[in-house]
DNA sequence: TTAAGTGCAAACGGTTTGCACCTCA
DNA sequence: TGAGGTGCAAACCGTTTGCACTTAA
């Protein structure tokens, strides 16, 4: 998968990619670093950032600018989706995208991607 | 306007609010600071941040988490709208919101607000 | 054997905090 | 006159950079 994108699949990169792909919390660089430094005691934050950048450039990850000053990462090959951020528990949920998002855009503009973020209370926090 | 929200309308706060309200570029704290320090030579970044927080708490401004590590500000009393970020010139354009954005959300969730960001090329950059 | 990847340490930059001074109601 | 506002300086923290070491094709 990485070879196809011109990336050398080092153990660290594989770990970063599979962690983001398998964890549904849209982790930050620091969360990834904390969780992986058990497996790689010598792991450095620099390597996590290097890997995240390389994987993002290779279109295997997507950067989510959901929280200012704390980038979060998403597994890109998944179908396009929006995000719901719970203001109480802070969890980030995937949501389906509403249809015809581009309908209301000015003609002449070229859309690369659409980011949609809902903020509010998740079902559990809403009940409490 | 500020009195109604329990804010003392100091000259600096008035300047920050009216600058954000009148300039259509969704400025960052630093842009606001640079543009206003002509009028207020003694203005400090701290005061700009203080004002932005107070005005945000008073629901007169809204924080836009569009660019990681560089918060941008929007005049809140305007009707809800999305944002289009041009990847070439970096300008941020207001866009109308598509209808029925909440349709596809899981039942039980409570939506405070929806943020929608388009990224791509604006009409001018698209022509070049 | 050499281009690419790793990781330490230091720098960077937007933001926050501590604190002393100022200023209106 | 006292609660609230201003602004300097330093701290904070996520991220980037410089550089020497390591590793795999």
């Amino acid at each position: 998968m990485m070879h196809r994108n011109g990336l050398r699949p080092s153990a660290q990169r594989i770990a970063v990619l599979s962690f983001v792909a398998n964890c549904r919390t849209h982790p930050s660089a620091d969360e990834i670093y904390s969780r992986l430094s058990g497996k790689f005691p010598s792991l450095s934050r620099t390597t996590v950032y290097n890997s995240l950048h390389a994987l993002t450039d290779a279109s295997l990850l997507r950067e989510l600018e959901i929280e200012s000053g704390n980038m979060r990462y998403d597994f890109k090959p998944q179908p396009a989706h929006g995000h719901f951020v719970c203001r109480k528990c802070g969890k980030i949920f995937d949501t389906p995208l509403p249809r015809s998002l581009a309908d209301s855009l000015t003609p002449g503009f070229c859309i690369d991607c659409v980011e949609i973020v809902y903020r509010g209370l998740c079902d559990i926090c809403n009940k409490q």
Side-chain angles (χ1 to χ4, degrees), chain A residues 29-42:
Chain A
D30 195 65
E31 286 167 60
I32 298 168
Y33 170 74
S34 306
R35 292 288 256 89
L36 294 185
S37 42
K39 234 183 272 181
F40 299 86
S42 77

Side-chain angles (χ1 to χ4, degrees), chain A residues 52-94:
Chain A
L52 289 171
H53 292 160
L55 292 165
T56 301
D57 290 347
S59 291
L60 293 171
L61 293 182
R62 184 199 318 274
E63 299 185 324
L64 300 181
E65 325 227 17
I66 276 177
E67 195 178 349
S68 181
N70 202 5
M71 191 76 83
R72 288 165 165 277
Y73 292 86
D74 201 6
F75 186 56
K76 196 166 183 182
Q78 289 198 318
H81 54 273
H83 294 102
F84 184 98
V85 185
C86 178
R87 71 159 181 269
K88 196 169 168 190
C89 65
K91 283 206 198 84
I92 299 177
F93 300 82
D94 288 350

